[in-house]
Amino acid sequence: MESNIKVRNLNVFYGATQALKNINLDIPNKQITAIIGPSGCGKTTLLKCLNRLIESTDEVNVTGQVYVDGEDIYSPKTEVTHLRKKMGLLSQKPYPLPMSIFDNVAYGPRLHGTTKKNELKSIVEFYLKEANLWDEVKDRLSSPASKLSIGQQQRLCLARGLAVQPLVILGDEPTSALDPQSSAYIEQMFLKLKADYSIILVTHILRQAKRIADYIVYMYDGEIIEHGEASDVLNHPKHPKTIEYVSGVIS
Amino acid sequence: MKRKVIEEKFFLVLMIISATLIVSIIVLILTSIIIKGFSSFNLAMVSQTPKGGYYLGKEGGILNAIIGSFYIAGGATALATALGIPVVMLMNVYLKADSKVSAVLRLCFDVLWGVPSIVYGAFGFTLMIFFGLKASLIAGIIVVSILILPIIIRAIDEISQTIPEGLFHASLSLGATKLETGFKVNAKQILPGILTAVLMAFGRAIGDAASVLFTAGYSDSIPTSLTDSAATLPLTIFFQLSSPIKEVQDRAFAAVLILTIIVLCISLLSRLLTNRHNKYKI
């Protein structure tokens, strides 16, 4: 299994509480990895460690290493903006930026140095198509992003994230605020996108993991209990805690 | 049961009385200013400088004070905004939400907000003596900017705290720096709030007398350089009211009317901006 993201001995403390306990994990390339587990088990904390957004939390202490493309992202030499450009994030609730639909998608490319109007136009069109939103918004690109429905907003956020050309897409329960139709849209898009991107998806919906995940990481109380191919973990779980969760005894 | 009904009615009546009292005080202040002000108002007041004999009841106007006030309030607002925005940015973008530094800074600005303006005036005066400066436009601008700095900072700071964390994270995760996020995302989200804060501060700056009393000085001509002393509306009102000549005293109310109209317009404008829906706000 090839992996560009390797987590080694990762511990996270919020004040005195330990949120992640000695995490070791290789994320497979160009597959959908689902991190599952009951709420409060540290799924989102682990995800936030991968793009260092964890650092904006109050009183947090991170030890251990996370290697992205062989580079330890917690080394003082690592430029955090460079890292985050590689790790696209799709959050629980869509947060479009306070600007027009066009500017939302163009925001990232502009930050990273694309300024030519024509170039931006084609980037915006390409990624809005990629996120399956183009047909719905092509006639109102200059209207505020806040006017879109929440499902459209989440697809806009996806287009915006893809426009900076990340290697990885991090999804933090990206469908939890959406209606079933929009959720299905996002899931289908993930299945299409995994050809080009490694996708790491935190989800509390076991059925979603069953539908789209290739690789499963089961966490409980800050620890990785079991991880492996989705068919193995979901159909033949080994650890009693995983069996409980997968069979629906706890959720 | 009956007791509760009576209690309810009693306090309701009390509240209505308080509200009526407050509204009538405002109406009383405004009508007296308008009646007294209008009768002695003439066009020369806003188009001419005092020309020597104005304070003795002769011809002239207070254009020097109107322009002086706008210079000082405008300059001080610009200076305080330029100094204040980086501080707000530090507290809300760079420091974490529970940072002790932010807490100390907020406490400082709350204390500064409560300091009487004469204290700032006295402080400015001490500094001027120390540096050997005379009362001037620039000294007035600096002292008034210190007076309104806590207003600008705390008002923008309060509204900054309504920005959802997810929005901030969304921008960071696209590879933006904190600075880029602060200017391109946070500022856009709260733009009307920033304008309201700036206008509020301007309103406070233009109406304050004590801080400019020793620092800006007074002059019958319109200032042409930063080192000239400058007249201000609150001080021209003060000088006219303290005159023994009745005609001059009456004219003070016309100046009061002008100042009130300016401040009222600013309040209304800032209210308008607050209520205006920010088109792009998330």
Side-chain angles (χ1 to χ4, degrees), chain A residues 85-206:
Chain A
K85 189 175 171 295
K86 287 188 202 166
M87 316 291 269
L89 175 74
L90 211 53
S91 56
Q92 262 179 45
K93 184 175 172 273
Y95 281 106
L97 303 170
M99 44 189 87
S100 71
I101 294 170
F102 183 94
D103 288 340
N104 258 275
V105 184
Y107 181 78
R110 274 186 184 133
L111 286 178
H112 302 297
T114 311
T115 47
K116 286 199 192 98
K117 191 90 194 168
N118 283 336
E119 217 174 314
L120 284 172
K121 257 187 189 160
S122 55
I123 289 173
V124 169
E125 179 172 347
F126 180 81
Y127 287 103
L128 282 173
K129 279 181 177 160
E130 191 87 343
N132 219 340
L133 188 62
W134 175 253
D135 290 332
E136 291 157 66
V137 300
K138 63 179 180 215
D139 302 320
R140 46 175 176 145
L141 289 174
S142 58
S143 72
S146 54
K147 291 280 190 308
L148 296 173
S149 77
I150 191 156
Q152 291 172 323
Q153 287 185 6
Q154 192 63 304
R155 277 180 280 149
L156 178 67
C157 290
L158 184 63
R160 182 182 70 188
L162 294 178
V164 297
Q165 297 173 302
L167 301 171
V168 182
I169 299 169
L170 307 174
D172 183 6
E173 305 189 5
T175 61
S176 63
L178 307 184
D179 58 277
Q181 184 66 55
S182 307
S183 301
Y185 245 5
I186 297 277
E187 284 183 15
Q188 282 157 21
M189 236 168 285
F190 279 170
L191 288 172
K192 191 180 85 182
L193 290 169
K194 75 173 180 181
D196 303 306
Y197 304 90
S198 307
I199 298 172
I200 306 169
L201 179 71
V202 164
T203 180
H204 65 282
I205 312 164
L206 188 59

Side-chain angles (χ1 to χ4, degrees), chain B:
Chain B
M1 200 61 211
K2 191 128 195 274
R3 201 183 63 91
K4 285 201 170 175
V5 175
I6 295 169
E7 198 179 75
E8 188 90 341
K9 277 201 171 137
F10 175 76
F11 281 101
L12 182 64
V13 169
L14 214 64
M15 291 172 210
I16 291 170
I17 290 172
S18 305
T20 319
L21 203 68
I22 289 164
V23 172
S24 32
I25 290 171
I26 293 170
V27 171
L28 206 67
I29 293 175
L30 286 181
T31 40
S32 73
I33 290 170
I34 290 168
I35 291 168
K36 283 194 123 177
F38 257 122
S39 56
S40 47
F41 181 85
N42 57 50
L43 213 61
M45 274 194 77
V46 292
S47 60
Q48 290 178 20
T49 54
K51 295 178 183 163
Y54 183 71
Y55 294 102
L56 302 170
K58 293 192 187 131
E59 295 237 312
I62 53 163
L63 185 66
N64 61 328
I66 295 173
I67 291 184
S69 267
F70 270 102
Y71 279 174
I72 287 185
T77 308
L79 189 59
T81 308
L83 285 172
I85 283 181
V87 178
V88 179
M89 193 85 106
L90 177 71
M91 291 195 294
N92 290 284
V93 177
Y94 282 82
L95 298 172
K96 290 176 182 179
D98 74 338
S99 145
K100 294 204 173 58
V101 180
S102 293
V104 170
L105 281 173
R106 288 200 177 100
L107 181 69
C108 288
F109 294 122
D110 285 344
V111 171
L112 282 179
W113 193 322
V115 171
S117 56
I118 188 74
V119 176
Y120 290 110
F123 169 71
F125 189 58
T126 322
L127 274 188
M128 282 158 56
I129 292 171
F130 184 78
F131 288 111
L133 292 169
K134 67 181 180 74
S136 59
L137 189 60
I138 184 72
I141 287 175
I142 291 170
V143 172
V144 174
S145 76
I146 300 171
L147 171 79
I148 61 174
L149 199 56
I151 300 176
I152 289 204
I153 290 176
R154 287 297 276 130
I156 303 179
D157 179 40
E158 285 292 328
I159 189 147
S160 292
Q161 291 176 37
T162 65
I163 299 171
E165 199 186 27
L167 188 59
F168 186 57
H169 287 173
S171 171
L172 289 186
S173 59
L174 290 167
T177 60
K178 288 181 175 179
L179 191 72
E180 286 164 336
T181 305
F183 278 114
K184 293 181 178 161
V185 177
N186 290 17
K188 255 197 183 133
Q189 174 81 350
I190 57 164
L191 195 62
I194 295 175
L195 292 175
T196 305
V198 168
L199 283 176
M200 245 168 67
F202 184 87
R204 176 89 165 85
I206 206 165
D208 195 71
S211 57
V212 289
L213 185 57
F214 304 114
T215 54
Y218 201 86
S219 157
D220 276 356
S221 47
I222 295 165
T224 52
S225 98
L226 283 171
T227 50
D228 285 355
S229 46
T232 46
L233 275 168
L235 287 189
T236 193
I237 293 165
F238 173 68
F239 291 138
Q240 290 176 76
L241 275 178
S242 34
S243 157
I245 306 162
K246 177 150 187 316
E247 211 184 338
V248 178
Q249 275 184 27
D250 287 345
R251 278 188 198 158
F253 284 92
V256 169
L257 183 67
I258 294 167
L259 182 58
T260 311
I261 289 171
I262 293 170
V263 174
L264 223 56
C265 287
I266 289 163
S267 310
L268 287 177
L269 194 64
S270 74
R271 182 47 76 91
L272 214 68
L273 283 172
T274 322
N275 291 344
R276 201 188 70 155
H277 185 63
N278 183 1
K279 190 168 128 188
Y280 291 110
K281 192 181 173 207
I282 297 307

